[in-house]
């Protein structure tokens, strides 16, 4: 097939699979007979010495020396040596699925194997399974990278994390800690009377924040919907339904930038608590962070972005205007005009004029205070201009019952007393609404179904929403969000070697996807010019029926052409034209569907 080294190695291993099958052995059996993990034997040798044990895992090393063979088998708990001696192993047994010594050449580093034998020590004193039988559980077709050099290319590491965590099991530890962190968060909230719910990821109206959404077309309903940017409004519906304490550990999707601290898909803990305000949540989240620190990581002091942060101490609670006054000398709460506030900004080195005093306060905070908040700190009392979903403070309605958490100069959570006045909330939404920018993430979109829910009366409510990747970065000492996401979002890629091995054509690997809207005449012209061609052996055609202001319309959606996306054709049935243009290509005509006008 190819003279590429990898392809040649793969070819040799395919031949070994064929040889195993000729011996009556299944290279991919369904079950192992493992009795022990390696850690149990390694950590309690005295209790297992002389006992027959069966271990299973990946063969990480392999060498034969005359009448002896040695290897190391690695499972989730660690590695253990296996030692095999000619004359002490039975011959290959198809019924038992075991390899004899004479066929051990069919093993390779990377294979998943099962080894049975007595526990003992070799002449060098290494704890081992003195194996009398070996089974191949999964034959590896590809060699692993060299265990001593590992993976140096970061893109390969992120795309093939499984290679890194196999070669370097220590790199699994923080992912295991993140999993335990999720368990402890649930345990903490359950102990305080919270119920966990699953809320929709595909939502008819995105809400609960300001972020650009991912749009998803739901074929069965012939309508566009959105991937969740937040689950907040569904938790509030649950509060209205009579559940006083609810939470979701939900996936969120925001179609925005990617950098060291932002990822388009992330996990957030969101809670809602009835009959409490934002001050309750200050205590809740402080206790939550301290619980995770002590129960998962067994300590309270962590190094975060080069700073030593202690979660054992009480977290200061500072009003935003007071924090800015302490840092700059300017008291924005006493300023009477926007001009005065902008003059203060200029003296602080901020040249961009702000539209309100509240916006100027926030800009001063971001410039002069935020990066100085190293120990966990609550900043509360945000200007109402930037907090439309929060309740105004009783003593000064220019500010709202809202707080943010800051740790090592990073914002790590945003929380408030929820606005449950449906009339005021609808008025706020309508003031911000711009139909032309509805999916750009610049404002909270109108959600009339939620307004109707509030009109049935939602009790006083408050919620928290820390991002769990950000929390994981804090506790594991990672400064790149990709280091706490096992499967980060990356552009699809098929390497040249794999193209050859899997015999993939260039058309199959063309990732371009362009949706086109054409008249029937334009479509016919593009076909005649060869600008649109089949990508494979079939083209699909879907008639779409629409009614707009009493007029029934029909257009056709075509997939499987060289633009890689959808071609929408108006004006005429083009099925015959496609059949005549592409002889030998199957035309799949799908049932007509209805679409909203």
């Amino acid at each position: 097939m190819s003279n590429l080294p990898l392809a040649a190695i793969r070819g040799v291993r395919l031949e070994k699979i064929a040889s195993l099958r000729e011996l009556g052995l299944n290279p991919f059996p369904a079950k192992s007979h493992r009795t022990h993990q390696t850690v149990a034997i390694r950590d309690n040798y005295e209790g297992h010495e002389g006992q027959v044990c069966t271990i299973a895992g990946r063969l990480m090393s392999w060498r034969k020396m005359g009448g002896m063979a040695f290897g190391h088998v690695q499972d989730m708990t660690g590695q253990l040596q296996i030692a095999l001696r000619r004359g002490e192993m039975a011959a290959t047994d198809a019924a038992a699925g075991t390899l004899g010594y004479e066929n051990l050449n069919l093993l390779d580093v990377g294979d998943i194997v099962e080894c049975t034998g007595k526990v003992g020590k070799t002449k060098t004193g290494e704890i081992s399974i003195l194996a009398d039988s070996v089974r191949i559980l999964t034959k590896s077709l590809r060699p692993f990278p060299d265990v001593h050099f590992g993976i140096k290319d970061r893109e390969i590491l992120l795309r093939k994390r499984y290679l890194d965590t196999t070669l370097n099991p220590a790199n699994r530890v923080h992912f295991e800690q993140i999993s335990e962190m999720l368990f402890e968060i649930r345990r903490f909230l359950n102990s305080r009377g919270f119920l966990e719910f699953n809320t929709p990821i595909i939502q008819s109206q995105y809400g609960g924040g300001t972020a650009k959404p991912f749009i998803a077309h739901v074929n069965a309903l012939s309508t566009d919907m959105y991937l969740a940017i937040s689950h907040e409004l569904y938790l509030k519906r649950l509060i209205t339904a009579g559940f006083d304490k609810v939470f979701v550990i939900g996936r969120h999707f925001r179609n925005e930038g990617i950098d060291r601290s932002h990822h388009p898909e992330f996990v957030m803990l969101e809670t809602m608590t009835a009959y409490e305000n934002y001050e309750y949540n200050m205590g809740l989240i402080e206790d939550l962070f301290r619980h995770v620190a002590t129960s998962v990581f067994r300590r309270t002091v962590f190094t975060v972005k080069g700073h030593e942060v202690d979660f054992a101490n009480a977290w200061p609670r500072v009003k935003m205007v007071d924090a800015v006054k302490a840092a700059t000398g300017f008291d924005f709460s006493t300023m009477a005009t926007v001009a005065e506030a902008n003059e203060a900004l200029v003296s602080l080195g901020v040249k961009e004029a702000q539209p309100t005093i509240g916006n100027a306060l926030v800009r001063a905070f971001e410039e002069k205070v935020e990066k100085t908040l190293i120990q966990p700190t609550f900043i509360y009392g945000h200007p109402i201009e930037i907090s439309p979903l929060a309740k105004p403070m009783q003593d000064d309605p220019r500010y709202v019952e809202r707080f943010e958490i800051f740790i090592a100069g990073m914002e790590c959570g945003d929380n408030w007393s929820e606005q449950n006045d449906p009339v005021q909330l609808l008025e706020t939404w309508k003031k911000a609404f711009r139909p032309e920018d509805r999916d750009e993430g610049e404002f909270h979109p109108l959600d009339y179904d939620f307004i109707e829910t509030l009109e049935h009366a939602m009790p006083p409510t408050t919620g928290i929403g820390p991002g769990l990747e950000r929390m994981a970065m804090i506790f594991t000492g990672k400064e790149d969000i990709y280091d706490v996401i096992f499967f980060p979002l990356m552009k699809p890629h098929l390497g040249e070697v794999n193209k050859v091995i899997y015999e993939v054509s260039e058309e199959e690997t063309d990732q371009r996807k362009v949706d086109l809207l054409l008249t029937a005449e334009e479509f016919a012209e593009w076909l005649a010019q060869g600008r649109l061609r089949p990508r494979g052996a079939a083209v699909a055609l879907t008639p779409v029926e629409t009614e707009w202001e009493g007029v029934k319309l029909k257009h056709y959606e075509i997939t499987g052409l060289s633009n890689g996306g959808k071609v929408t054709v108006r004006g005429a049935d083009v099925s015959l034209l496609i059949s005549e243009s592409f002889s030998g290509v199957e035309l799949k005509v799908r049932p007509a569907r209805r679409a909203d006008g």
Side-chain angles (χ1 to χ4, degrees):
M1 175 166 48
S2 167
N3 61 359
L4 291 170
L6 175 59
I9 293 170
R10 185 173 178 273
V12 170
R13 296 195 178 192
L14 284 170
E15 292 173 1
K16 290 185 177 183
I17 287 177
S19 297
L20 287 166
R21 288 184 167 132
E22 288 175 5
L23 293 170
L25 302 176
N26 180 1
F28 304 97
K31 179 179 172 58
S32 168
H33 307 299
R34 179 170 68 177
T35 61
H36 291 74
Q37 289 185 310
T38 60
V39 68
I41 298 170
R42 194 177 61 250
D43 291 355
N44 184 17
Y45 173 71
E46 292 76 12
H48 292 90
E49 184 180 10
Q51 291 187 12
V52 175
C53 298
T54 299
I55 62 171
R58 191 178 298 277
L59 190 62
M60 297 301 294
S61 69
W62 182 240
R63 66 191 188 280
K64 292 183 70 176
M65 299 185 300
M68 290 288 293
F70 298 90
H72 284 87
V73 173
Q74 177 175 291
D75 60 17
M76 185 175 176
T77 65
Q79 288 191 8
L80 194 67
Q81 181 172 264
I82 57 171
L84 306 97
R85 187 188 301 273
R86 181 188 290 141
E88 294 184 4
M89 294 183 65
T92 297
D93 186 339
T98 56
L99 279 173
Y101 195 90
E102 69 278 10
N103 293 125
L104 291 183
N105 62 307
L106 298 178
L107 285 176
D108 290 293
V109 171
D111 291 349
I112 308 296
V113 299
E114 175 189 280
C115 302
T116 301
K118 289 184 179 180
V119 176
K121 290 184 179 180
T122 60
K123 290 181 179 180
T124 61
E126 185 169 352
I127 299 172
S128 306
I129 293 286
L130 308 176
D132 54 35
S133 72
V134 175
R135 292 174 66 216
I136 291 183
L137 299 179
T138 308
K139 185 66 187 168
S140 172
L141 291 182
R142 296 186 181 226
F144 266 69
D146 188 283
V147 67
H148 298 293
F149 294 99
I151 301 172
K152 305 301 181 185
D153 188 313
R154 181 161 173 79
E155 182 171 348
I156 293 176
L157 186 149
L158 293 176
R159 290 184 183 276
K160 303 177 183 179
R161 182 93 69 182
Y162 55 89
L163 295 179
D164 178 56
T165 54
T166 299
L167 295 174
N168 303 289
N171 291 345
R172 283 204 311 257
V173 172
H174 69 278
F175 289 110
E176 293 169 355
Q177 291 171 332
I178 292 168
S179 178
E180 188 178 352
M181 190 177 81
L182 293 174
F183 173 82
E184 288 297 337
I185 288 171
R186 288 185 164 97
R187 196 157 75 104
F188 171 86
L189 292 172
N190 287 336
S191 71
R192 299 201 173 199
F194 283 84
L195 298 176
E196 182 175 10
F197 281 84
N198 289 323
T199 49
I201 287 178
I202 299 176
Q203 302 178 356
S204 59
Q205 181 59 274
Y206 70 95
T210 54
K212 187 172 183 178
F214 286 91
I215 300 174
H217 185 79
V218 181
N219 291 335
L221 300 176
S222 297
T223 190
D224 284 344
M225 291 194 177
Y226 304 91
L227 299 186
I229 68 165
S230 169
H231 297 264
E232 174 184 319
L233 301 187
Y234 289 93
L235 291 175
K236 291 177 179 177
R237 288 172 168 92
L238 288 166
I239 292 290
T240 306
F243 302 97
D244 286 354
K245 291 184 173 184
V246 294
F247 77 97
V248 60
I249 296 179
R251 306 202 75 82
H252 297 64
F253 306 85
R254 298 186 178 182
N255 199 0
E256 298 173 341
I258 297 176
D259 59 33
R260 288 170 61 86
S261 59
H262 296 88
H263 191 264
E265 178 184 359
F266 60 97
V267 181
M268 184 182 289
L269 165 67
E270 291 184 87
T271 74
M272 286 292 160
T273 306
Y275 307 105
E276 298 284 0
N277 74 349
Y278 75 118
E279 293 170 307
Y280 167 86
N281 277 332
M282 289 187 188
L284 182 71
I285 201 146
E286 182 176 343
D287 291 346
L288 172 62
F289 269 76
R290 193 172 295 118
H291 173 80
V292 170
T294 55
S295 62
V296 178
F297 300 92
R298 310 294 190 268
R299 54 197 170 98
T300 61
V301 178
F302 297 80
T303 300
V304 185
K305 300 186 73 172
H307 302 285
E308 190 174 273
V309 174
D310 191 348
F311 289 95
N313 301 323
W315 297 15
R317 304 180 181 190
V318 186
K319 196 170 184 179
M320 183 178 284
V321 290
D322 295 335
V324 171
K325 182 179 179 181
T328 68
F330 291 108
D331 187 349
F332 281 79
S333 68
T334 63
M335 294 182 182
T337 66
V338 178
E340 183 184 358
N342 281 320
E343 285 177 10
L345 286 183
V346 171
S347 70
L348 297 175
V350 179
K351 297 180 180 180
E352 303 87 359
Q354 300 299 309
T356 69
I357 297 173
N359 288 99
L361 167 65
V362 173
R363 189 69 185 86
F365 173 82
E366 293 170 343
E367 187 71 19
K368 296 298 180 180
V369 181
E370 184 170 322
K371 297 300 181 185
T372 69
L373 301 174
I374 305 304
Q375 297 306 313
T377 303
F378 293 114
I379 296 294
Y380 71 95
H382 294 57
I384 195 168
E385 296 94 322
I386 66 165
S387 312
L389 294 184
K391 281 199 167 186
M393 288 185 160
Q394 290 290 332
D395 59 346
D396 191 341
R398 294 177 300 171
Y399 306 102
V400 296
E401 293 192 357
R402 173 185 175 185
F403 70 85
E404 289 179 294
I405 307 160
F406 289 91
I407 301 170
M410 297 187 298
E411 187 268 310
C412 298
D414 190 11
N415 317 266
W416 52 70
S417 300
E418 305 295 341
Q419 177 57 266
N420 62 342
D421 181 337
V423 175
Q424 184 173 338
L425 181 57
L426 181 59
E427 182 181 349
T428 301
W429 270 349
K430 284 193 170 183
K431 283 180 180 178
F433 182 66
R434 298 186 303 275
E436 69 277 10
D437 294 330
R438 58 169 287 126
D439 294 336
E440 295 304 310
E442 299 297 329
F443 55 87
H444 294 75
L446 293 164
D447 188 337
Y448 295 110
D449 179 77
F450 178 67
I451 294 295
E452 180 184 346
T453 301
L454 292 188
E455 291 190 352
H456 287 282
M458 182 182 80
T461 299
T462 185
I464 62 173
L468 297 190
E469 283 86 1
R470 192 70 60 86
M471 184 185 289
M473 290 168 67
I474 289 170
F475 286 125
T476 61
K478 304 297 181 182
E479 295 192 14
D480 190 329
I481 196 169
Y482 272 43
D483 290 331
V484 296
I485 299 175
F486 200 93
F487 302 106
L489 183 66
M490 302 186 74
K491 191 172 183 178
H493 172 73
L494 183 63
E496 295 300 319
V497 174
N498 280 342
K499 289 180 186 177
V500 174
I501 288 175
Y502 299 135
E503 300 177 349
V504 179
S505 68
E506 287 301 320
E507 283 195 344
E508 285 183 83
T509 60
D510 187 354
Q511 297 294 335
R512 290 175 297 173
K513 182 178 179 181
V514 179
D515 291 336
L516 299 172
L517 176 61
L518 303 172
T519 64
E521 293 77 13
E522 290 170 335
F523 181 64
E525 183 178 350
W526 282 41
L527 293 183
Q529 294 172 350
R531 298 170 69 181
L532 287 173
R533 306 174 307 282
R535 290 174 67 91
V539 172
L541 175 72
T542 305
V544 181
E545 299 169 350
T546 306
E547 185 171 333
W548 177 255
E549 295 187 345
V551 179
K552 293 185 177 180
L553 306 169
K554 181 181 284 189
H555 66 267
Y556 299 84
E557 294 178 352
I558 306 155
T559 56
L561 296 177
S562 54
N563 61 310
K566 178 173 61 178
V567 179
T568 301
V569 179
R570 302 173 300 179
D573 187 340
V574 292
S575 55
L576 181 60
L577 177 60
I578 295 173
S579 298
E580 291 176 346
S581 300
F582 307 131
S583 59
V585 175
E586 181 185 2
L587 176 63
K588 296 181 178 179
V589 180
R590 293 172 174 156
R593 64 177 177 83
R594 290 192 57 79
D596 296 334

